[in-house]
Amino acid sequence: MRSVPDWVLVGMIKRIHGNQGEMLVKPLTDREERFSEGSELYVMRKRESERVKVRIAAFRSSDRGPLVMLAGYNSRGEAEPLFGASLFVPGEEIDPLEDGAYYAFQIEGCLVYEGDKLLGTVTKLAESVKANPYIEVDPGEERPLVLIPFISQVIKEVDVEGQRIEIIDGFLG
């Protein structure tokens, strides 16, 4: 497997909810248990480079995402500086995936080909609320990004070790 980064982003604090310090999290993982009571994460605030270990003191699900309270953040005023902060786990804590599943860090940086033609480099694997996930491909030479659905009908092969993704012939016209 491509080397695991030291830190893996698992969520973002979207907003402060109520007056007791509860926070709405945008999960960037399919493992909601990362946000369960007693879990430990590392928080990094905007424009800062230090990650601080935090413990989830309380958790509940909502239709907008997980709502958490962090130990030591017991009021809106204490929680507000964490608005927009990123939530991480150490890279060694991530689980191996099944065949055909990928972490974003494994896809980013891969070269994308349509047959023998190099289309560019993956800059991001992105989720879409209303559509399938997609990869952003930078073709270089100041050309606009190309968005390619990351679905089996379009992606012919992913070689994480070789950092190569091949899409079906003729997809881009």
Side-chain angles (χ1 to χ4, degrees):
M1 175 160 84
R2 186 169 165 193
S3 66
V4 176
D6 293 337
W7 297 98
V8 177
L9 181 66
V10 295
M12 308 265 311
I13 298 174
K14 287 174 55 172
R15 70 181 183 96
I16 309 307
H17 182 78
N19 293 322
Q20 304 302 313
E22 196 170 39
M23 301 169 214
L24 178 65
V25 173
K26 176 183 180 182
L28 300 172
T29 175
D30 57 357
R31 291 189 50 205
E32 194 170 272
E33 67 269 15
R34 293 246 187 241
F35 309 107
S36 63
E37 188 173 331
S39 293
E40 292 182 338
L41 299 170
Y42 291 79
V43 66
M44 186 167 69
R45 296 189 324 192
K46 288 181 179 179
R47 295 178 285 287
E48 291 189 5
S49 58
E50 183 180 339
R51 290 172 183 84
V52 177
K53 190 177 198 175
V54 293
R55 185 179 53 78
I56 307 286
F59 161 85
R60 66 185 175 105
S61 290
S62 79
D63 58 345
R64 293 187 175 179
L67 287 164
V68 301
M69 290 184 69
L70 301 178
Y73 296 85
N74 302 313
S75 71
R76 183 178 196 87
E78 290 174 343
E80 279 180 340
L82 295 182
F83 169 75
S86 301
L87 299 168
F88 294 88
V89 294
E92 66 263 10
E93 290 185 13
I94 65 170
D95 298 323
L97 296 173
E98 299 173 13
D99 285 344
Y102 307 96
Y103 287 109
F105 71 83
Q106 294 175 299
I107 300 300
E108 292 164 1
C110 286
L111 298 176
V112 179
Y113 288 86
E114 183 177 25
D116 292 334
K117 180 182 177 190
L118 175 62
L119 301 175
T121 305
V122 176
T123 58
K124 180 174 160 181
L125 172 63
E127 294 291 325
S128 172
V129 175
K130 296 184 178 181
N132 295 307
Y134 60 92
I135 51 176
E136 289 183 358
V137 178
D138 181 358
E141 300 174 10
E142 298 185 25
R143 294 185 309 209
L145 291 175
V146 177
L147 305 179
I148 299 173
F150 198 67
I151 57 175
S152 61
Q153 294 90 334
V154 176
I155 304 297
K156 193 172 175 180
E157 181 181 0
V158 176
D159 177 1
V160 171
E161 293 299 322
Q163 291 198 282
R164 179 184 171 106
I165 295 174
E166 188 165 335
I167 68 169
I168 60 171
D169 293 334
F171 178 74
L172 294 179

